[in-house]
Amino acid sequence: MEAPQQNLKTTLTLSLERFHISEDYGFLLPNPLMPLLNCHFLKSYREQRLAHLVLSCITMGYVWQEGETQPEQILPRNLALPFVEVSRSLGLPPILVHSDLVLTNWARRDPEGPLEIRNLDTIISFPGGESLRGFVLVTVLVEKAAVPGIKAIVQAGSAILQPNQDCLLRALQRLRLSIQDIARALAQMHDYVDPDIFYAVIRIFLSGWKDNPAMPMGLIYEGVSKEPLEYSGGSAAQSTVLQAFDEFLGICHSTESADFLHRMRDYMPPYHKAFLEEIHSAPSLREYILSSGNSQLCTAYNQCVEALAKLRSYHVAVVTKYLISATAKAKVRRKSHLPGPPRALEDRGTGGTAVLSFLKSVRDKTLESILYQSS
């Protein structure tokens, strides 16, 4: 009788290595701690900006994970070193800034769809849910609404040099419309951001470690400095938009407000800061209009100033709702699923300013810039 034929199906010899199983540790991943992140693999400016966004959000989550009563005092070297490295490369501080949270942190859901909030999403998030998404994306739309105004500044600068008063008039009219569009975009904050969530959940993750009683000594960046470093938290003053409008319109703020605004420029991408300096060094719009004797230009200029002051008044109202009123509500709230009110910055913005007095000051100084032509 013939012996049965051997199964001819080819079989592979079992190999632990082929299945990523360790001879020494079995299914455990041997020595799972990874090496330090290496920023040299970032090939472009855009990649560096995205890396700064990611590292800054991780940092804020780490530092404030236990709330304001128990913030972390030391940022571990495996986070501190790459964060500081990419920050130095970009000329940005190693903390979450406006250019991270807003300017870098958006994407279209449908790449071909409109730049509207229903078609937008954040790239990186932290606690706050839909209110955080709304806060970031409404601010994205505010920045987008400013684009015609930024272009108008460039057009106006050329018109002054030519000189061409008709072109300058049209540029001022476009600037006014852009400022009004910014106010309309900002109004969407009420539709998408819950004041209680913003105050009790989101705000702590925007807070810094300078002028903050919760972290009076700053933060130690392990492997970078043995002494604590101090950096301000996120602030609308870190947006280049309104500072560009101020420079162009020649608006002068109080010494205290001006000092804070200029300090916030160090939290902007260096090219954006340089744009402000370029506007400042250009021929004065106010002086040109006064010397021109053109009443239409004077009226158009004043309409821009009035629109900017109105926008700042609206900003005061928004901050009152999301900070001052929310603080009062949080103090009297008895039972809630929300955390207790963050007391360290009760009357201050996340950038560390006494926020209402600052906003009212810049609004009032804006109004003082109205031009009065002698008859």
Side-chain angles (χ1 to χ4, degrees):
M1 185 175 180
E2 268 186 42
Q5 287 189 341
Q6 192 175 13
N7 188 341
L8 297 178
K9 182 178 179 181
T10 303
T11 58
L12 294 173
T13 304
L14 277 175
S15 163
L16 295 181
E17 183 180 2
R18 186 160 62 88
F19 295 98
H20 293 282
I21 302 171
S22 168
E23 292 278 356
D24 298 318
Y25 295 93
F27 294 106
L28 291 171
L29 182 65
N31 305 313
L33 187 62
M34 298 290 285
L36 283 173
L37 295 174
N38 191 334
C39 297
H40 296 299
F41 290 108
L42 300 173
K43 299 298 184 184
S44 68
Y45 175 75
R46 293 171 64 87
E47 289 180 359
Q48 290 180 333
R49 287 282 297 271
L50 191 61
H52 200 274
L53 164 65
V54 173
L55 293 170
S56 63
C57 286
I58 295 172
T59 295
M60 302 311 265
Y62 179 81
V63 170
W64 298 114
Q65 59 185 301
E66 299 295 336
E68 68 165 8
T69 58
Q70 293 180 298
E72 295 293 332
Q73 304 296 317
I74 300 174
L75 193 66
R77 61 183 290 114
N78 60 347
L79 179 53
L81 288 175
F83 192 19
V84 169
E85 182 182 356
V86 75
S87 296
R88 287 172 176 168
S89 179
L90 287 169
L92 289 171
I95 192 170
L96 181 74
V97 293
H98 177 82
S99 65
D100 297 316
L101 184 66
V102 177
L103 304 185
T104 309
N105 193 23
W106 65 276
R108 282 183 170 93
R109 291 176 170 176
D110 174 4
E112 305 301 321
L115 198 70
E116 298 172 357
I117 201 163
R118 60 184 174 82
N119 189 46
L120 293 174
D121 217 338
T122 55
I123 298 172
I124 303 292
S125 190
F126 43 76
E130 284 301 302
S131 286
L132 174 68
R133 176 180 174 272
F135 177 73
V136 173
L137 297 180
V138 167
T139 313
V140 167
L141 296 180
V142 165
E143 292 279 346
K144 182 63 169 65
V147 172
I150 299 300
K151 290 181 177 178
I153 290 175
V154 176
Q155 294 158 355
S158 298
I160 291 172
L161 293 174
Q162 288 177 7
N164 187 322
Q165 294 188 3
D166 290 337
C167 286
L168 179 56
L169 179 61
R170 288 193 294 272
L172 289 173
Q173 291 167 342
R174 284 191 285 269
L175 175 58
R176 172 180 58 82
L177 292 174
S178 178
I179 295 171
Q180 292 169 339
D181 285 342
I182 290 172
R184 281 189 283 271
L186 181 59
Q188 295 182 70
M189 200 71 74
H190 302 293
D191 300 324
Y192 293 100
V193 184
D194 183 312
D196 294 336
I197 299 293
F198 176 79
Y199 181 77
V201 179
I202 298 171
R203 191 164 169 261
I204 188 70
F205 293 103
L206 309 180
S207 302
W209 25 96
K210 180 180 175 64
D211 301 324
N212 185 349
M215 293 188 71
M217 303 303 292
L219 178 70
I220 293 176
Y221 290 72
E222 191 178 51
V224 176
S225 172
K226 294 182 180 179
E227 298 299 321
L229 303 177
E230 295 183 301
Y231 296 103
S232 297
S235 169
Q238 294 172 4
S239 169
T240 312
V241 170
L242 294 191
Q243 293 215 40
F245 293 168
D246 280 346
E247 287 288 2
F248 175 63
L249 295 170
I251 294 170
C252 296
H253 294 293
S254 69
T255 300
E256 184 179 4
S257 297
D259 287 347
F260 175 73
L261 288 167
H262 278 81
R263 182 159 65 83
M264 288 298 98
R265 294 184 182 187
D266 292 333
Y267 291 74
M268 299 176 184
Y271 286 109
H272 297 176
K273 178 181 177 181
F275 179 67
L276 296 177
E277 294 167 350
E278 190 81 7
I279 299 170
H280 179 76
S281 64
S284 167
L285 171 68
R286 286 173 61 87
E287 291 178 8
Y288 179 83
I289 292 175
L290 286 171
S291 64
S292 73
N294 187 320
S295 60
Q296 283 186 303
L297 287 179
C298 186
T299 298
Y301 172 88
N302 286 341
Q303 287 174 340
C304 289
V305 171
E306 289 165 354
L308 186 55
K310 189 175 180 180
L311 171 61
R312 283 181 156 143
S313 288
Y314 189 70
H315 191 193
V316 169
V318 171
V319 168
T320 299
K321 175 180 178 180
Y322 285 90
L323 177 57
I324 309 304
S325 299
T327 300
K329 286 175 63 179
K331 284 180 178 179
V332 300
R333 190 163 46 224
R334 291 291 181 261
K335 293 181 180 179
S336 172
H337 63 286
L338 297 175
R343 288 187 288 270
L345 291 173
E346 278 184 349
D347 63 340
R348 305 180 78 80
T350 48
T353 57
V355 63
L356 270 189
S357 60
F358 167 75
L359 291 176
K360 289 178 179 178
S361 173
V362 296
R363 185 267 317 277
D364 294 344
K365 286 295 183 181
T366 300
L367 278 173
E368 288 178 13
S369 300
I370 293 290
L371 289 177
Y372 298 96
Q373 283 193 318
S374 55
S375 52

